[in-house]
Amino acid sequence: EKEKILAEKEKILAEKEKILADKYEKILAEREEKHVIEKRYIEKELLMAKGKMTCRGLLEFTVHQAFVEVRTRKNSLNLKFTDRFRNQLDSLGRALPPQAGERNFHALHEAFIRCTNSTTFEVFYGNFYSELSKEIHGASWSGPSVLRTPLAEGFRCAIEIIATHAGLDFED
């Protein structure tokens, strides 16, 4: 009879172990699914960081960072903070040429010198921004690329230089 009771207990224990194993497998599957979703999100963020963000977003970010760089100069033309893109361009145009350590401003200036024969820095980047903004609705850092086909050669050259200075790959 003891053997019968022991066999019954072993059978109950085996069933409980199977139930626990099934629950464990279910938990692992849920965690794996969550990790797949997180991995996709991280991959998307990584692709954006590697240069697949919008051209307009990259231009806005670089101009803003250049403006911040120029504001830290001792004689910064008494620049007041502004978040308006065109006001920042005007300020940068007055602050030319870039000084040592102004990495973003240097990138914008190099692109202007190498890629255009436009009259002024502000006009070139104002026209470039207008071109990139034509088909945008919503936030500049979201959605598909705003690179219009065909993008004028001077604008394409400029965004490639800016992206390279930012350590990003430029893709159509």
Side-chain angles (χ1 to χ4, degrees):
E1 198 168 312
K2 283 185 178 182
E3 290 177 24
K4 192 176 182 183
I5 293 174
L6 283 174
E8 191 68 34
K9 283 185 178 180
E10 285 182 44
K11 183 179 175 184
I12 292 171
L13 282 174
E15 288 174 3
K16 285 184 177 182
E17 285 179 359
K18 183 174 179 349
I19 291 170
L20 286 174
D22 290 343
K23 284 184 179 181
Y24 182 72
E25 289 296 320
K26 184 179 176 183
I27 290 170
L28 286 179
E30 289 173 357
R31 284 185 181 169
E32 181 66 27
E33 184 179 338
K34 183 179 178 184
H35 288 298
V36 168
I37 292 169
E38 288 175 352
K39 182 180 175 191
R40 285 184 190 146
Y41 177 77
I42 290 169
E43 286 172 348
K44 178 184 168 195
E45 293 295 310
L46 182 61
L47 290 175
M48 287 174 62
K50 283 186 172 180
K52 295 189 179 182
M53 63 187 77
T54 65
C55 294
R56 179 178 168 209
L58 178 59
L59 180 62
E60 286 178 345
F61 179 78
T62 304
V63 166
H64 178 73
Q65 294 300 339
F67 180 77
V68 170
E69 290 169 352
V70 170
R71 283 194 66 221
T72 62
R73 289 182 185 176
K74 279 191 174 184
N75 298 322
S76 64
L77 308 172
N78 295 322
L79 297 180
K80 294 181 180 169
F81 180 77
T82 179
D83 60 355
R84 299 201 57 216
F85 183 83
R86 294 199 188 265
N87 292 348
Q88 290 178 348
L89 281 178
D90 291 342
S91 297
L92 291 173
R94 289 192 317 269
L96 285 170
Q99 295 179 359
E102 295 174 345
R103 188 176 60 86
N104 292 289
F105 193 19
H106 176 74
L108 291 170
H109 186 249
E110 180 184 341
F112 172 70
I113 296 297
R114 288 180 45 196
C115 301
T116 185
N117 52 12
S118 182
T119 57
T120 67
F121 181 90
E122 305 92 284
V123 169
F124 173 72
Y125 281 110
N127 291 341
F128 189 14
Y129 186 71
S130 294
E131 182 72 15
L132 292 173
S133 299
K134 283 183 180 174
E135 296 184 13
I136 284 253
H137 301 287
S140 61
W141 291 87
S142 65
S145 174
V146 295
L147 182 62
R148 296 185 64 217
T149 306
L151 187 62
E153 186 58 34
F155 296 151
R156 180 179 178 78
C157 171
I159 200 67
E160 287 176 357
I161 289 171
I162 293 166
T164 301
H165 273 272
L168 303 171
D169 295 324
F170 178 77
E171 297 188 17
D172 288 324

